[in-house]
Amino acid sequence: MNPILVQDFLEISYRTDLDLLVGRWLRPIELPEMQRGYQLLLDAAQAGGCRRWLLDVRRRQNTHQLGARWMVTTWLPQLEPRLGGRTRLAYLMAPVYLRDEAADAAFPPAAYFVDKPFIGERFIEESAAIAWLGA
């Protein structure tokens, strides 16, 4: 799996065997880097026609409220027009982030995704995330 793009904060690659776009955040980031990274991911997904994403955020600080608001209001609405169909976003996280109240408040509850053209879920094991993406 050769990287498509590498920034100092993000590596993007494509797993042809599973038809997955993989984004691995390489270090803690600030909001402008988060925004830039997600735009780069969307560009790569559009170029490859890929709507199944594995996002490894274990080395990144978890999304804060301002970043979450930007994602919900600005970035997520771009997925369907640019990719068509429903996009699946699997977030691979460190276990400590799943116990973080601020992280829980920043990530939408399952009910939020019911009528959306995208769905997201959080995982601590890559194999479980990949299985969910393949469902």
Side-chain angles (χ1 to χ4, degrees):
M1 176 172 61
N2 292 326
I4 296 170
L5 174 72
V6 179
Q7 299 285 309
D8 72 322
F9 60 93
L10 176 65
E11 178 182 290
I12 301 173
S13 56
Y14 182 71
R15 286 201 51 184
T16 55
D17 61 326
L18 298 172
D19 189 28
L20 294 179
L21 183 73
V22 180
R24 295 197 191 274
W25 298 89
L26 304 175
R27 64 169 172 77
I29 57 171
E30 298 295 328
L31 181 61
E33 291 172 320
M34 184 186 104
Q35 292 169 327
R36 173 82 175 126
Y38 278 106
Q39 288 304 135
L40 291 169
L41 284 159
L42 182 52
D43 292 343
Q46 185 175 16
C50 187
R51 293 191 324 260
R52 297 182 319 143
W53 302 19
L54 176 65
L55 300 165
D56 184 346
V57 299
R58 293 176 292 185
R59 287 181 260 175
R60 180 186 100 181
Q61 297 296 329
N62 203 24
T63 305
H64 49 73
Q65 291 294 332
L66 186 58
R69 189 172 322 121
W70 171 82
M71 287 191 75
V72 169
T73 61
T74 303
W75 185 75
L76 286 169
Q78 296 178 55
L79 295 178
E80 184 179 34
R82 290 192 55 192
L83 302 177
R86 195 165 201 211
T87 302
R88 296 176 72 86
L89 309 165
Y91 287 86
L92 186 58
M93 306 176 85
V96 67
Y97 290 146
L98 292 179
R99 294 189 302 267
D100 183 294
E101 287 183 35
D104 283 343
F107 197 87
Y112 170 79
F113 298 106
V114 169
D115 61 347
K116 303 289 188 286
F118 48 82
I119 186 169
E121 189 58 77
R122 299 178 294 172
F123 300 89
I124 57 172
E125 294 180 5
E126 190 160 332
S127 60
I130 290 171
W132 179 82
L133 286 166

